[in-house]
Amino acid sequence: MATLRTILRRLALLGVMLGGLVLITFTVSNVAPSDPAALAAGPDATRAMIETVRHEYGLDQSLPMQLARYVADLLRLRLGRSIQTGNQVADDLARFFPATMELVLLSMLFSVLAGVPMGLWAAVRRNSWFDHAMRALAVSGVALPAFWAALLLQLVFAVWLGWLPTSGQLSVATAPPDPITGMILLDALLRGQWAVFAEAARYAVLPAFVLALPSLAAIVRVNRAEMIEVLAADYVTAARAHGVAPRRVIGWLALRNAMLPTLAMIGLRFGWTLGSTVLVETVFDWPGIGLYAVNSAIASDFKPVMGVTLAVGVTFMLTNLLIDLAYGWLDPRTRSA
Amino acid sequence: MSGPLLEITGFRLAFDGYEGRAQVLNGIDLRVEQGETVGIVGETGCGKSVLARSILRLNPTPPARVLTGGIRFAGQDVLAMDGPALMALRGAGIGMVFQDPQTYLNPVFTIGSQLADVLRAHGLRGRAAIRARSLELLEAVRLPEPAALLRRYPHELSGGMRQRVLIAQALAGSPRLLLADEPTTALDVTIQGQVLALVADLVARFGLTLVLISHDLGVIGAICRRVVVMYAGSIVEDAPAEELFAHPRHPYTRGLLAAVPDLERPTQMPAGIPGSIPSLRDPPGGCRFHPRCDLTMDICRREAPRLSGTGHRTACHALAPNQDGYAQVRP
């Protein structure tokens, strides 16, 4: 009951935040010094043709009017039309978003499944060589620029060693599986197309790893620090004193306490990862919303950019809502609040 | 079984830190027989909690380091125990009750889940069996509505209830010895009495041996038949409770007793002991109490006194019999 109320309250708050996000993206798109109508009409267009395009897209109206129309469209889940692709932005997003989510989910899965145990073990074996290696990773993982790491990995694993493909999501010769979720890996798995799955996995390794690296570093660092603190807590001493096995004490009784701040970090990293897809998708030519946003922005086509921003924003907010609910499950003290 | 249940001999333990080594336990000799109730009293920082944790090997190493001496429980060498033997000692041999019920219960697990973890550690299997035993333990520590309590979290309980849960956990492994480290210090005075009565009752009911650690002579006098006084990492006096309260010998013990406020004369401040507890990193040579003692002799500055005597043991040069068999100074 309390949980339901929390969800409703958070959803209402989400609406307010969305309003702010719409206002900001709309303003930023419209103060940019460019003429999308002229770009859309093409280099040889006459003034009259440009004006026609301007009218067609509603760009000749006053800004408040344009905002009002945009919001009204949004409420009907219409995000405007892309000048670049000529499609409805909503349709484009539906096409590109699954690829991005696939990449983000893969990298988050990897950074959590690897980062939590690595941080835990570094804390248990504090000041061992493993711990030192983890601290080095924690610094370098955050410090390495994603595009640089991406180029380096492409060079080593794709060009020199030839183990993995350089870019893309599948080879041109391979037909993607019939979409269920739109995520190629998941769809191939659901349809039992193992060859396609294996190939898609090879394509996904490098971009997912590059995207995961900073989150992995952050999760290792937070979980290590939290574990060190929790392992020194009185209730851990008490569990030991009562004869509970070390594995149980560390891997469950202590970890669950240490996971609280780690979980908050995972939520933040999720949003950050979504944003970083812009760079990673560009370098790896991954057909997701990041690449879509970059191509649109270069063409001064702002409706898609706004659409991508909104989609990323909503996903981030929903993810953090989930994280907060998980927090309540992990920490009984926050439930009544 | 013959021999003492717990035997500590010549135990010296130090903590290594950035500022050097602190000699926290300086040669502890203590025998506890099956069925005894022993209170260990001393000021904060005298090493009594470290001693308790040493018995269960709970001090983190490093920084803690055993220099010399041994600890035996039921004839077994505690310091030589491997993982499984140590886990059996903890809980099944010795049940430990901690000071602050606020921090010694895991905040994110229910009482039932924490009890179940301890019970499983001692080999109990099956949901129904664990639940039955949990209820039995909560009833043993006289907690009302034990079934509802199993689903509650520590923050939903009062301090007194939490301490009872901690005691139930300590009893979960059916230990022979109950080791209670300041079990009432963090509680309200009214609750203190109830918890002490409970401990005394459990000791009698289950035939437990008790080692109770406190800075409060009143707490110890209430349920212990033997009192051990510690000062700066050493035992300075060890005697039957009645004897110690009536005829304290060691100058430190006498100071300690004089420091207890007198309810008959509430306007009079109790006498304290001049000076303060010494640094364990750079303790005074000889007897560690000599800078604060009014019986100090030359030998006190040079040589640490040994705990001697039978029945009523003291570690004091001034009280040690000379060749004629008389104490050098009449207390």
Side-chain angles (χ1 to χ4, degrees):
Chain A
M1 197 55 221
T3 316
L4 189 66
R5 207 162 42 230
T6 309
I7 296 176
L8 288 178
R9 197 168 54 209
R10 289 295 306 269
L11 283 176
L13 200 63
L14 200 140
V16 177
M17 289 193 287
L18 263 183
L21 186 61
V22 168
L23 202 64
I24 291 171
T25 47
F26 183 84
T27 311
V28 170
S29 320
N30 279 286
V31 296
S34 70
D35 188 349
L39 280 165
D44 302 325
T46 61
R47 184 163 292 275
M49 285 162 74
I50 294 174
E51 285 312 316
T52 313
V53 171
R54 198 186 302 284
H55 183 72
E56 199 178 312
Y57 284 87
L59 295 171
D60 53 349
Q61 283 160 325
S62 70
L63 273 188
M65 194 60 202
Q66 284 188 47
L67 176 62
R69 283 183 44 168
Y70 185 64
V71 172
D73 278 348
L74 274 185
L75 293 177
R76 285 176 287 144
L77 291 179
R78 293 158 62 96
L79 300 168
R81 197 130 62 89
S82 162
I83 298 172
Q84 265 267 302
T85 62
N87 300 327
Q88 285 292 331
V89 171
D91 295 340
D92 279 347
L93 283 182
R95 193 148 59 91
F96 296 126
F97 196 65
T100 296
M101 275 315 279
E102 180 166 42
L103 207 53
V104 169
L105 289 178
L106 266 181
S107 72
M108 285 313 290
L109 205 65
F110 171 70
S111 49
V112 172
L113 290 185
V116 168
M118 280 154 85
L120 181 147
W121 194 246
V124 172
R125 290 272 176 268
R126 202 175 164 187
N127 291 327
S128 66
W129 67 266
F130 183 81
D131 186 26
H132 292 305
M134 285 305 106
R135 278 145 85 175
L137 173 87
V139 174
S140 54
V142 176
L144 286 182
F147 70 90
W148 187 80
L151 291 175
L152 197 74
L153 290 173
Q154 279 179 333
L155 186 68
V156 174
F157 289 100
V159 181
W160 289 350
L161 296 172
W163 292 351
L164 296 167
T166 349
S167 60
Q169 209 178 6
L170 271 182
S171 86
V172 256
T174 311
D178 286 338
I180 301 172
T181 62
M183 302 183 201
I184 288 185
L185 275 170
L186 195 56
D187 288 350
L189 206 61
L190 290 174
R191 299 211 183 270
Q193 293 172 308
W194 304 114
V196 178
F197 178 80
E199 189 187 323
R202 275 162 45 80
Y203 275 87
V205 168
L206 285 184
F209 182 75
V210 169
L211 202 56
L213 202 56
S215 302
L216 177 72
I219 290 170
V220 167
R221 187 164 43 85
V222 171
N223 207 47
R224 173 185 177 273
E226 288 303 320
M227 278 305 287
I228 285 174
E229 197 180 317
V230 171
L231 285 176
D234 287 342
Y235 52 80
V236 169
T237 307
R240 281 194 225 274
H242 294 138
V244 181
R247 188 179 303 180
R248 176 86 179 161
V249 172
I250 295 165
W252 179 238
L253 302 180
L255 180 64
R256 183 147 161 190
N257 282 278
M259 275 307 285
L260 294 171
T262 308
L263 198 66
M265 173 56 93
I266 290 170
L268 288 178
R269 293 315 300 190
F270 191 89
W272 188 93
T273 305
L274 264 173
S276 305
T277 54
V278 171
L279 259 176
V280 174
E281 285 179 6
T282 308
V283 177
F284 285 98
D285 200 22
W286 188 271
I289 55 170
L291 192 59
Y292 176 57
V294 169
N295 289 339
S296 305
I298 290 170
S300 297
D301 184 4
F302 287 111
K303 284 286 177 357
V305 179
M306 289 157 72
V308 168
T309 312
L310 282 177
V312 168
V314 171
T315 314
F316 183 47
M317 288 171 194
L318 287 176
T319 310
N320 275 284
L321 178 61
L322 283 180
I323 295 277
D324 282 358
L325 293 176
Y327 221 91
W329 173 70
L330 275 178
D331 188 353
R333 289 165 298 183
T334 60
R335 268 175 222 169
S336 49
Chain B
M1 193 208 71
S2 60
L5 183 61
L6 176 70
E7 183 173 30
I8 304 172
T9 42
F11 190 72
R12 291 171 70 227
L13 183 114
F15 279 90
D16 289 324
Y18 287 117
E19 291 168 51
R21 172 173 289 188
Q23 284 274 357
V24 178
L25 294 178
N26 196 29
I28 299 290
D29 287 295
L30 182 66
R31 286 163 67 106
V32 178
E33 305 290 338
Q34 173 81 42
E36 270 196 297
T37 50
V38 180
I40 299 180
V41 70
E43 286 168 273
T44 304
C46 73
K48 45 192 199 305
S49 288
V50 172
L51 177 62
R53 283 164 186 242
S54 297
I55 296 169
L56 284 175
R57 296 224 333 241
L58 288 172
N59 291 308
T61 49
R65 178 136 72 154
V66 176
L67 302 175
T68 58
I71 298 175
R72 299 182 81 82
F73 180 79
Q76 286 178 297
D77 185 350
V78 171
L79 300 182
M81 281 181 178
D82 58 359
L86 192 58
M87 274 158 58
L89 170 77
R90 294 171 174 173
I94 302 175
M96 184 149 181
V97 179
F98 292 95
Q99 174 171 356
D100 188 355
Q102 192 80 42
T103 58
Y104 282 95
L105 284 171
N106 197 323
V108 304
F109 291 96
T110 58
I111 303 303
S113 150
Q114 301 194 43
L115 264 176
D117 257 320
V118 179
L119 289 172
R120 255 184 253 114
H122 296 294
L124 197 62
R125 293 288 178 273
R127 286 178 81 92
I130 286 175
R131 186 181 160 82
R133 177 82 174 119
S134 299
L135 293 176
E136 193 183 302
L137 284 166
L138 293 178
E139 272 159 20
V141 296
R142 295 196 216 119
L143 277 163
E145 297 180 55
L149 207 58
L150 289 178
R151 289 190 304 270
R152 307 276 289 275
Y153 288 92
H155 72 276
E156 300 174 303
L157 272 57
S158 71
M161 289 168 87
R162 278 193 291 249
Q163 187 57 280
R164 284 168 194 265
V165 171
L166 281 177
I167 294 172
Q169 279 191 321
L171 294 174
S174 308
R176 300 173 65 184
L177 182 129
L178 195 64
L179 184 58
D181 184 6
E182 303 263 8
T184 57
T185 305
L187 302 175
D188 288 343
V189 180
T190 48
I191 309 294
Q192 280 188 14
Q194 295 174 13
V195 170
L196 277 183
L198 174 70
V199 170
D201 174 59
L202 293 169
V203 165
R205 181 139 51 114
F206 296 116
L208 298 171
T209 305
L210 175 72
V211 173
L212 174 73
I213 291 168
S214 180
H215 66 278
D216 187 340
L217 279 164
V219 165
I220 289 191
I223 55 175
C224 294
R225 286 224 230 89
R226 180 176 153 206
V227 182
V228 171
V229 183
M230 281 184 72
Y231 180 79
S234 308
I235 294 176
V236 295
E237 186 157 4
D238 174 0
E242 281 177 32
E243 162 83 9
L244 186 116
F245 288 118
H247 308 291
R249 289 187 192 163
H250 197 281
Y252 176 67
T253 313
R254 283 185 274 142
L256 214 54
L257 284 168
V260 177
D262 189 348
L263 284 180
E264 312 272 290
R265 287 175 295 171
T267 50
Q268 190 167 335
M269 280 295 287
I273 303 173
S276 56
I277 51 170
S279 155
L280 296 179
R281 224 170 264 120
D282 185 23
C287 172
R288 286 184 170 184
F289 188 61
H290 85 256
R292 301 173 73 183
C293 183
D294 50 7
L295 301 178
T296 310
M297 305 179 296
D298 275 347
I299 189 172
C300 302
R301 299 189 180 87
R302 293 195 312 268
E303 209 175 293
R306 289 169 41 128
L307 196 57
S308 57
T310 48
H312 189 156
R313 303 187 299 163
T314 46
C316 180
H317 291 301
L319 302 174
N322 59 16
Q323 275 117 348
D324 306 327
Y326 293 104
Q328 291 170 8
V329 176
R330 284 244 152 254

